[in-house]
């Protein structure tokens, strides 16, 4: 079963990283209201991970979803990190992402891509979410941004451990599918070249967006299409700068990105187009894209996302972006369908 065939109410999902207190300390009632707003708006695809606030996002998501029938929504989480009962005293730091979840729970987080670690991670997620099954499982962050030059060793550990476990669980019908959940193109390319396992899809965050898509467009998307591996696009707002924020790649946006965003905004303003609409609709215009999962930590952002996806955008807007080389000339656009 493909990702598209699994989704029960369209391609717009909810990425729950912000619910792990990413960047700020979010009150429980605000987090609860955001998940409730997503459900009321029609969201039925929810993506989470143990990494998000050391289990906090899973706990918050599970609390609200416990009020719904399990068959009424699609749920994905990730493996590769295990949340321990041990509590740390210093800040949580993770490679290039630094103190991204410094306001999350203080439970110690360790990485483990082995077969046993994968099973243990799934058991922990099921407990925190309060559910009896998962739909999709992504192998989290086996890439350069977290492990530097050691990332290939992490990939190999996942190839001989997590991938084989998840392949078996999919074949046994325990889960509907699996893939990677990464912020880089290269691990997905390598995975697609493997012959011993058969990924069902992959979650690619930040690499097929309005601001950053050239490399994925050239290297990954055609191969994914060829292999029948559908892409869930994470981070469609490029860490927030396409939604009014100041972050790009989880850090302060560099000047060249700020300049590009301003040019896109100017074009959008001439056509009375929301930049959020352009961002979401661009991600889904590629035939390999099956879903897009923007994150949110406030209820009003959910309504904005649904309105943005359904907004009508003039064809001339897309033509102008292409002519001004604000998007790749080879990138599929909504007008190309």
């Amino acid at each position: 079963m493909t990702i598209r065939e699994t989704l029960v109410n369209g391609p717009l999902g909810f990425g729950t990283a912000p619910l792990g207190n990413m960047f700020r300390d979010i009150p429980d009632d605000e987090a609860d209201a955001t998940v409730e707003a997503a459900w009321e708006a029609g969201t039925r695809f929810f993506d989470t991970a143990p990494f998000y606030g050391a289990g906090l996002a899973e706990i918050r998501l599970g609390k609200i979803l416990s009020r719904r029938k399990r068959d009424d929504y699609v749920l994905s989480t990730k493996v590769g990190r295990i949340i321990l009962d041990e509590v740390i005293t210093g800040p949580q730091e993770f490679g290039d992402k630094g103190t991204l979840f410094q306001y999350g729970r203080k439970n110690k987080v360790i990485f483990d891509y082995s077969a046993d670690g994968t099973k243990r991670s799934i058991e922990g997620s099921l407990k925190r979410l309060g559910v009896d099954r998962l739909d999709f499982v992504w192998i989290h962050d086996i890439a350069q941004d977290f492990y530097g030059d050691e990332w290939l060793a992490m990939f190999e550990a996942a190839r001989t451990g997590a991938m084989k476990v998840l392949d078996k669980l999919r074949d046994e019908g325990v889960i509907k599918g699996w893939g990677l959940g990464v912020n880089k193109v290269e691990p997905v390319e390598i995975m697609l070249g493997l012959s011993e396992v058969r990924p069902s899809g992959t979650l690619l965050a930040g690499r097929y967006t309005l601001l950053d898509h050239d490399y994925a467009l050239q290297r990954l998307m055609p191969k994914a299409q060829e292999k029948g591996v559908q892409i869930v696009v994470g981070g469609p707002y490029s860490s927030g700068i396409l939604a009014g924020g100041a972050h790009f790649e989880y850090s302060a946006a560099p000047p060249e990105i700020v300049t590009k965003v301003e040019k896109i905004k100017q074009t959008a303003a001439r056509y009375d187009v929301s930049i959020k609409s352009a961002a979401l609709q661009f991600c889904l215009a590629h035939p390999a894209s099956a879903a897009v999962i923007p994150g949110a930590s406030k209820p009003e952002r959910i309504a904005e996302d649904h309105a943005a996806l359904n907004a009508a955008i003039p064809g001339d807007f897309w033509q102008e972006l292409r002519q001004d080389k604000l998007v790749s000339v080879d990138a599929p656009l909504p007008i190309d369908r």
Side-chain angles (χ1 to χ4, degrees):
M1 181 178 288
T2 68
I3 294 171
R4 282 195 196 93
E5 290 170 338
T6 303
L7 298 177
V8 296
N9 198 28
L12 181 60
F14 178 23
T16 65
L19 299 186
N21 282 354
M22 185 169 68
F23 298 131
R24 69 185 182 94
D25 191 358
I26 301 167
D28 285 338
D29 58 352
E30 187 175 324
D32 292 350
T34 302
V35 181
E36 286 282 14
W39 186 274
E40 293 303 319
T43 302
R44 295 295 183 269
F45 177 27
F46 299 88
D47 177 77
T48 190
F51 179 51
Y52 302 157
L56 181 59
E58 289 186 320
I59 292 168
R60 284 173 159 173
L61 178 64
K63 174 185 174 183
I64 304 303
L65 291 184
S66 67
R67 306 167 187 171
R68 313 296 178 179
K69 294 180 180 178
R70 182 61 187 87
D71 290 341
D72 289 348
Y73 61 89
V74 176
L75 179 62
S76 62
T77 192
K78 304 177 184 73
V79 296
R81 292 191 179 91
I82 296 173
I83 312 303
L84 304 180
D85 291 333
E86 177 184 347
V87 175
I88 65 170
T89 56
Q92 299 269 31
E93 295 191 17
F94 306 98
D96 289 353
K97 301 301 182 288
T99 55
L100 182 65
F101 291 107
Q102 63 178 310
Y103 301 109
R105 298 164 78 222
K106 295 300 182 181
N107 296 66
K108 186 175 182 179
V109 181
I110 61 171
F111 65 81
D112 189 339
Y113 297 98
S114 69
D116 287 343
T118 298
K119 295 172 186 176
R120 186 179 170 191
S121 179
I122 290 174
E123 289 172 0
S125 289
L126 290 173
K127 183 177 179 179
R128 286 186 293 273
L129 287 161
V131 296
D132 61 357
R133 68 185 188 279
L134 302 168
D135 295 303
F136 293 95
V137 177
W138 315 120
I139 304 171
H140 209 184
D141 288 330
I142 42 174
Q144 306 94 309
D145 53 336
F146 277 94
Y147 298 112
D149 290 344
E150 297 297 318
W151 79 272
L152 286 169
M154 297 299 173
F155 186 98
E156 180 62 11
R159 184 190 69 81
T160 58
M163 293 186 193
K164 292 188 176 181
V165 168
L166 296 177
D167 221 37
K168 183 178 180 181
L169 291 177
R170 189 268 323 282
D171 289 348
E172 292 174 346
V174 176
I175 60 176
K176 291 185 173 69
W178 68 273
L180 302 188
V182 292
N183 305 302
K184 297 292 183 181
V185 169
E186 293 88 347
V188 187
E189 284 190 272
I190 295 175
M191 180 188 69
L192 293 179
L194 299 177
S195 58
E196 293 182 351
V197 292
R198 295 172 294 108
S200 317
T202 219
L203 168 53
L204 181 67
R207 299 284 74 78
Y208 197 77
T209 72
L210 197 58
L211 285 181
D212 184 354
H213 54 268
D214 287 330
Y215 192 61
L217 182 67
Q218 297 166 13
R219 300 291 301 268
L220 175 60
M221 305 304 267
K223 193 169 185 179
Q225 272 188 276
E226 177 189 338
K227 295 281 188 175
V229 173
Q230 295 175 353
I231 306 295
V232 174
V233 178
Y237 301 139
S238 292
S239 297
I241 195 166
L242 288 175
H247 289 98
F248 175 76
E249 281 295 282
Y250 308 102
S251 301
E256 63 272 18
I257 291 295
V258 173
T259 298
K260 185 174 183 179
V261 171
E262 285 305 312
K263 290 180 179 178
I264 295 173
K265 283 182 176 179
Q266 290 169 13
T267 305
R270 286 198 298 275
Y271 290 96
D272 193 25
V273 168
S274 158
I275 195 168
K276 270 192 165 186
S277 293
L280 293 182
Q281 295 185 32
F282 173 84
C283 293
L284 289 172
H286 198 289
S289 299
V292 61
I293 51 169
S297 61
K298 295 182 179 181
E300 57 267 29
R301 299 289 183 259
I302 299 293
E304 290 175 5
D305 292 339
H306 281 265
L309 184 63
N310 295 310
I313 297 181
D316 287 348
F317 165 78
W318 295 114
Q319 293 285 15
E320 189 167 331
L321 287 191
R322 184 176 274 165
Q323 290 166 6
D324 292 346
K325 297 184 179 179
L326 293 172
V327 296
S328 170
V329 294
D330 297 320
L333 299 176
I335 54 174
D336 299 326
R337 291 173 178 164

